[in-house]
Amino acid sequence: MITIALAELRLILRNRTILVMATVLPLGFLALMLVNGRNDRPEMAVLHVMMMMGFTVFLAGTTTLTSRRQQLYLKRLRSSPTPVPSIIAGLIGPLIVLSLLQIGLFLGLAGQLPGRPLLLAAAALTGAVTWGAFSFLTAAFTRTPEAAQITTAPVYLLLLGGMFWVLNTPVDAVTLPQLLVPGGAISQLIRLSWGGPVSTAPLTLVLGAAIAAAAVAVAVRTFRWEPRA
C-alpha cells in the first residue's frame, strides 16, 4: 500500500491538472476565506472542510483514477498480488492525507479549534471516506480525464447541497431527512464539534457512517479497472 501511495504521489506531482485541483484550488480557497475574515464561526469550518475534500479528494481523485485507468496502470495493479483494499488505499490515500493537512492548516491559521475535537476527527474521517468513495463511483462513468469536469458536477452539487441545507437550519433543528442527504451528516458533525446538542451526535455519526459505507459498496460494484472497449 505504501509503495503504491508513494508512486501515486509522484504521479500527482507530475500531472499539472491534478496538481492544480489538489493544491492550488484548495489553497486559493483557503486564502480567500482567511482574507474574508469571520473564520471563527463553525459554519466557516463546515464550508472549508467540505470544499477542501471536494477539491482534493473528489475532483482530483476522479480525474486521477480516470487517467490511471486510461494508461492501463489500474489494470496492471489489479493483476498484481497486492490485495484490492491495499490498492484502493494506496490510490486515494495521498489525496486524503493532503486534504487533512489543508484542513489542519486552515484551522491553525484561523485560530479555530473545536471544543469537541473527537467529533471533528470523526467528521473528517467520515467525509474522507465518503468523498473518496464517490470519486471511485464517478470515475466508473468517466471515460477521459477531461470528461471528469462534467461527470463530477452532479455529485459535487449533491454533496454541497446537503451541506447548505444543514447550514441554513439551526444546529438544534436539523431533521432526519437532512442528515440522510449525502453531505448533511458530515456537516452537522462538524457543527456539533463546536457546540449544539451533543446528544444528537451518535445518531448523526451512525447516519454519516452508513452513507459512507453505502457509497463504498456501490463504488466497489461499479468501478472499472480497465477502459471500456
Side-chain angles (χ1 to χ4, degrees):
M1 180 183 72
I2 296 177
T3 302
I4 296 174
L6 292 175
E8 186 64 21
L9 182 60
R10 287 194 295 268
L11 291 171
I12 290 172
L13 294 175
R14 293 174 184 173
N15 189 306
R16 293 182 180 178
T17 301
I18 297 174
L19 188 62
V20 167
M21 288 183 181
T23 59
V24 177
L25 288 179
L27 292 178
F29 181 71
L30 166 61
L32 181 63
M33 291 183 70
L34 291 174
V35 170
N36 187 51
R38 302 183 71 183
N39 295 304
D40 57 339
R41 298 169 56 193
E43 290 77 13
M44 297 304 290
V46 174
L47 182 61
H48 175 77
V49 171
M50 293 294 286
M51 292 295 288
M52 292 303 95
M53 288 191 172
F55 284 134
T56 307
V57 180
F58 178 59
L59 296 181
T62 302
T63 304
T64 191
L65 288 170
T66 305
S67 176
R68 303 295 179 263
R69 183 177 59 217
Q70 198 175 50
Q71 298 163 357
L72 302 182
Y73 177 67
L74 297 185
K75 180 180 180 179
R76 293 194 295 270
L77 284 178
R78 186 69 174 84
S79 60
S80 71
T82 307
V84 172
S86 296
I87 295 175
I88 292 174
L91 290 170
I92 201 68
L95 294 174
I96 289 177
V97 171
L98 183 57
S99 72
L100 295 178
L101 290 175
Q102 292 165 350
I103 292 168
L105 178 62
F106 169 78
L107 296 177
L109 292 177
Q112 191 178 21
L113 301 178
R116 303 163 182 165
L118 291 180
L119 283 183
L120 180 61
L125 179 60
T126 305
V129 173
T130 303
W131 282 111
F134 273 110
S135 71
F136 276 86
L137 177 59
T138 308
F141 302 96
T142 308
R143 288 182 176 272
T144 65
E146 294 76 16
Q149 301 177 39
I150 299 174
T151 57
T152 54
V155 179
Y156 198 80
L157 292 175
L158 172 65
L159 286 160
L160 292 188
M163 176 194 73
F164 283 116
W165 191 14
V166 166
L167 286 182
N168 287 326
T169 305
V171 67
D172 57 350
V174 173
T175 62
L176 183 61
Q178 289 174 291
L179 297 178
L180 290 174
V181 176
I186 302 169
S187 302
Q188 180 69 351
L189 273 178
I190 300 172
R191 297 173 81 191
L192 290 174
S193 66
W194 266 270
V198 71
S199 60
T200 62
L203 175 61
T204 304
L205 180 57
V206 168
L207 292 177
I211 293 171
V216 169
V218 176
V220 168
R221 285 181 171 273
T222 57
F223 185 67
R224 301 180 64 89
W225 295 89
E226 301 180 29
R228 288 189 177 93

